[in-house]
Structure formats: C-alpha cells, structure tokens
Amino acid sequence: MLNRILCVDDDPITLLLYSKVINKTNFSKEIITAKNGEKALHYFDNLLKQDQSILELPELIFLDLNMPVMSGWDFLDSFKTDQYKKFHNIKVVVLSSTIDPKDIEKSQTYPMVLDFLSKPISVSMLEYLSSKIQ
C-alpha cells in the first residue's frame, strides 16, 4: 500500500471514481487531487516551501493528458525541470481516454513516467501497478 498519491484530472466524476477504486483496493492511504497541471504544480511549489525533513511526498501521480488551463504534457514539461528535481523520483502513470501510439511514444521520453494506461481506472489496473511498483 502506498502512503500518498496525487490524482490530476479535470473531471470531478473521474476523481471520484479514482477515490472509490483506490480506497476499495487499499492501494493508497491518502489521495490528493488537482484539477489540472497548474494546480498540481502549485501543490509541488507549496511542498518546496516546507521543511523538507518532515515532508511526506506522493509516491505516485495519476495524470490525465487533456485538461484545460495546463495539460498533462505541459505539466510533465514543467515537472521535469530542475525546479522540481526534488520530486523526480515520484513515478507518473498517464491515464488517458485515448490510446494514441504517438502519445504512448511521447510519454516514454519522460523518465518519471512509469506507464501509459487507458481510462477508466480499475481494480485490475491497480493490481498490475502494485506489482510494477514493488
């Protein structure tokens, strides 16, 4: 079981589904949400301002690609910079409603991306990820 994960998606129903499935499977003790990439970066900006010795960081990020304000791609482009290097060990799972081979290829260029999976989140998906994270 993970201690904390961050779910980044603009759809409140999707975020609710994440929460229900994650809680049902005991995949993580705590779920933090952000409605777009910009809000997710603000979350990490706030962590940078805190005492690093007491921080409990997310161990995994579920990231949607198509969001208003800041897309998942824009988030990854910002997140991979030196400004966020303290968080580069956090793995990202891209969850998308479309599985475009070009998107899958592009996601593999980001070292923090663990996998690219199709929505919706499911119990079997979390079981698969649990085995991959161990």
Side-chain angles (χ1 to χ4, degrees):
M1 176 187 289
L2 301 177
N3 287 318
R4 177 178 290 166
I5 59 171
L6 172 63
C7 298
V8 185
D9 199 299
D10 62 312
D11 180 20
I13 294 170
T14 299
L15 290 173
L16 181 63
L17 177 64
Y18 286 177
S19 179
K20 292 219 178 273
V21 175
I22 290 165
N23 287 328
K24 178 181 179 182
T25 60
N26 292 320
F27 185 75
S28 179
K29 292 178 189 172
E30 185 179 1
I31 304 162
I32 298 159
T33 62
K35 293 181 181 179
N36 59 56
E38 184 177 72
K39 297 231 184 253
L41 288 178
H42 286 307
Y43 169 76
F44 287 106
D45 289 338
N46 288 332
L47 289 178
L48 285 171
K49 296 174 190 170
Q50 296 177 22
D51 180 356
Q52 299 297 307
S53 65
I54 60 167
L55 281 183
E56 190 172 336
L57 301 175
E59 296 166 272
L60 186 69
I61 299 170
F62 285 122
L63 180 66
D64 185 27
L65 291 179
N66 300 311
M67 297 177 285
V69 183
M70 179 183 274
S71 73
W73 295 125
D74 293 336
F75 169 82
L76 286 169
D77 287 339
S78 296
F79 197 62
K80 73 177 184 180
T81 64
D82 283 345
Q83 178 179 351
Y84 298 101
K85 68 182 171 191
K86 292 182 180 187
F87 309 119
H88 286 177
N89 61 333
I90 300 172
K91 294 299 178 193
V92 176
V93 175
V94 174
L95 291 175
S96 182
S97 50
T98 60
I99 298 293
D100 182 339
K102 290 178 185 171
D103 285 341
I104 296 170
E105 237 177 77
K106 183 177 179 179
S107 74
Q108 294 168 347
T109 66
Y110 296 91
M112 70 277 297
V113 173
L114 177 68
D115 213 326
F116 188 111
L117 302 171
S118 180
K119 286 182 180 181
I121 195 170
S122 66
V123 171
S124 61
M125 181 188 294
L126 295 180
E127 289 169 353
Y128 162 75
L129 288 172
S130 289
S131 68
K132 205 166 179 176
I133 293 169
Q134 300 297 329

